[in-house]
């Protein structure tokens, strides 16, 4: 049976904005969340997937290999939803 609860849609949304902007502050503005909210969503995704999605260096972040893979997945998912609708 497939586990629909593994990837929370809100966490994917928060991750996507962070991956696009490479800034949790800018992601928070784009997603209408707080910076803390973005961090919590990303942390939940990292915990559920068992990988780090971002390398954090001071206030800057960059995607890990796993983060790049998830970003491509989310982009593909969003394209498929657009096609479906």
């Amino acid at each position: 049976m497939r586990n629909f609860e593994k990837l929370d849609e809100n966490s994917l949304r928060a991750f996507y904005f962070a991956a696009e902007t490479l800034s949790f502050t800018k992601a928070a503005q784009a997603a209408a969340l707080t910076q803390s909210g973005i961090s919590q969503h990303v942390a939940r995704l990292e915990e559920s997937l068992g990988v780090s999605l971002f390398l954090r260096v001071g206030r800057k972040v960059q995607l890990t290999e796993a983060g790049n893979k998830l970003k491509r997945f989310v982009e593909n998912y969003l394209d498929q939803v657009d096609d479906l609708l």
Side-chain angles (χ1 to χ4, degrees):
M1 183 192 274
R2 296 187 185 252
N3 185 349
F4 282 93
E5 296 176 18
K6 188 91 172 168
L7 295 176
D8 174 57
E9 188 173 305
N10 292 320
S11 293
L12 285 178
R13 182 173 181 267
F15 163 79
Y16 181 74
F17 282 115
E20 276 290 295
T21 62
L22 294 178
S23 164
F24 283 24
T25 300
K26 290 178 184 175
Q29 293 169 346
L33 295 169
T34 63
Q35 182 179 351
S36 173
I38 296 289
S39 295
Q40 290 172 12
H41 281 295
V42 169
R44 269 189 235 124
L45 271 178
E46 289 176 328
E47 185 177 325
S48 72
L49 297 173
V51 295
S52 293
L53 299 170
F54 291 94
L55 294 174
R56 293 159 178 88
V57 181
R59 293 184 151 210
K60 295 184 180 187
V61 296
Q62 65 186 52
L63 289 168
T64 63
E65 185 177 336
N68 277 308
K69 186 175 181 179
L70 182 59
K71 184 176 183 240
R72 286 190 303 273
F73 169 82
V74 172
E75 289 169 338
N76 186 41
Y77 168 77
L78 292 172
D79 289 343
Q80 288 182 1
V81 169
D82 286 345
D83 289 347
L84 178 65
L85 298 176

